[in-house]
Amino acid sequence: MTATYVIEGREVTSLDRFWQVIGEAVNGPGGHFGTNLDAFADCLSGGYGTPDDGDFIIEWRDHEASRRALGYDETVRRLDERLGRAHPSNRAAIEAERDRAAAGEGPTVFDWIVEIIEERAPGRLLLD
């Protein structure tokens, strides 16, 4: 039987809140399912609450509310954080990505999350 994990889009008000919502959707109250993009990708590969056979769906209800919350403002904020800890050789690329986001261009945090789900769990994301 296919497991369904529901994300209520209006509850996702920031990336930090997304980690809480997805963690609880998959692993119950107080549950975790990654707290950064790399850990999230690893969790989607199995063994962290999803069925061993990979038979699950992530149903993202009212995803447009999440898309707005995880839009360019949140993307700029996250890229600013990344700049603060980046190796000097990576700074120019992050700054360029940040400048594009500040101009309302390029992928957003929402896009990053969707891309990870589509790469690690193809066909398992339902955007409502």
Side-chain angles (χ1 to χ4, degrees), residues 15 18-19 37 40-41 44 60 70-72 74-80 82 94 97-98 101 105-119:
L15 183 57
F18 172 79
W19 301 134
L37 296 170
F40 178 60
L44 285 169
W60 200 329
L70 301 176
Y72 289 111
E74 181 73 355
T75 304
V76 169
R77 190 167 78 80
R78 295 303 170 159
L79 290 169
D80 282 341
R82 194 179 295 173
I94 296 169
E97 187 176 1
R98 187 234 181 262
E105 300 173 355
T108 64
V109 171
F110 180 84
D111 298 324
W112 298 343
I113 292 168
V114 168
E115 181 180 339
I116 289 168
I117 296 170
E118 289 175 348
E119 285 178 359

Side-chain angles (χ1 to χ4, degrees), residues 19-84:
W19 301 134
Q20 294 169 341
V21 171
I22 191 66
E24 291 187 355
V26 174
N27 290 308
H32 297 280
F33 197 68
T35 55
N36 63 61
L37 296 170
D38 290 332
F40 178 60
D42 289 344
C43 288
L44 285 169
S45 298
Y48 296 95
T50 58
D52 291 336
D53 63 5
D55 189 16
F56 68 91
I57 295 290
I58 296 173
E59 181 182 342
W60 200 329
R61 296 180 181 163
D62 197 10
H63 74 280
E64 288 297 334
S66 297
R67 183 187 303 273
R68 287 187 296 276
L70 301 176
Y72 289 111
D73 289 343
E74 181 73 355
T75 304
V76 169
R77 190 167 78 80
R78 295 303 170 159
L79 290 169
D80 282 341
E81 288 176 2
R82 194 179 295 173
L83 268 173

